[in-house]
Amino acid sequence: QVQLVESGGGLVQPGGSLRLSCAGSGRSFSMYAMGWYRQAPRKQRELVAQITSRGSTNYADSVKGRFAISRDSAKNTVYLQMNSLKPEDTAVYYCNSVPSLLLNYWGQGTQVTVSS
């Protein structure tokens, strides 16, 4: 069974940067579109970035120009580079397939807190 482990979150000031990693073990996900999702308190989970098996990317308008998703298929890993962070980016960030039901795995996520 696939396992996805998110890491790289933390506390940063507005305008700062973080790089998140999603490391997969078990089943390879190289043939799946993958995405980063986030869920803030009292908010619905939202997909903020996705990348296809061929490397095409899409972003939510709220993060476009600030976040960049990438993948290294040989390492079975997906990354999210987050720049110019804003307080409204505060959330728990998860990786999963797009749509999520394909891999059907939610890890513990990684907390990102943007605060001065």
Side-chain angles (χ1 to χ4, degrees):
Q1 182 196 312
V2 66
Q3 293 187 22
L4 303 172
V5 179
E6 300 93 344
S7 63
L11 173 64
V12 297
Q13 293 183 333
S17 297
L18 285 172
R19 182 174 172 84
L20 308 184
S21 297
C22 171
S25 62
R27 187 195 315 171
S28 170
F29 53 72
S30 63
M31 295 301 177
Y32 292 87
M34 297 293 292
W36 284 95
Y37 302 78
R38 69 185 182 189
Q39 187 162 22
R42 306 179 308 278
K43 301 290 187 179
Q44 296 292 316
R45 186 185 66 207
E46 64 173 333
L47 177 66
V48 298
Q50 61 185 111
I51 184 167
T52 71
S53 62
R54 292 180 139 188
S56 298
T57 60
N58 285 288
Y59 301 92
D61 288 341
S62 59
V63 308
K64 193 171 298 182
R66 300 187 298 117
F67 291 10
I69 188 171
S70 60
R71 67 193 302 168
D72 185 335
S73 295
K75 294 182 177 180
N76 211 33
T77 301
V78 181
Y79 306 95
L80 185 67
Q81 179 66 47
M82 305 186 296
N83 299 321
S84 302
L85 283 162
K86 304 175 179 180
E88 50 263 46
D89 296 318
T90 296
V92 178
Y93 284 72
Y94 303 89
C95 64
N96 210 335
S97 56
V98 182
S100 60
L101 283 174
L102 293 179
L103 284 177
N104 194 32
Y105 186 91
W106 295 104
Q108 60 264 39
T110 186
Q111 175 73 50
V112 172
T113 302
V114 185
S115 176
S116 59

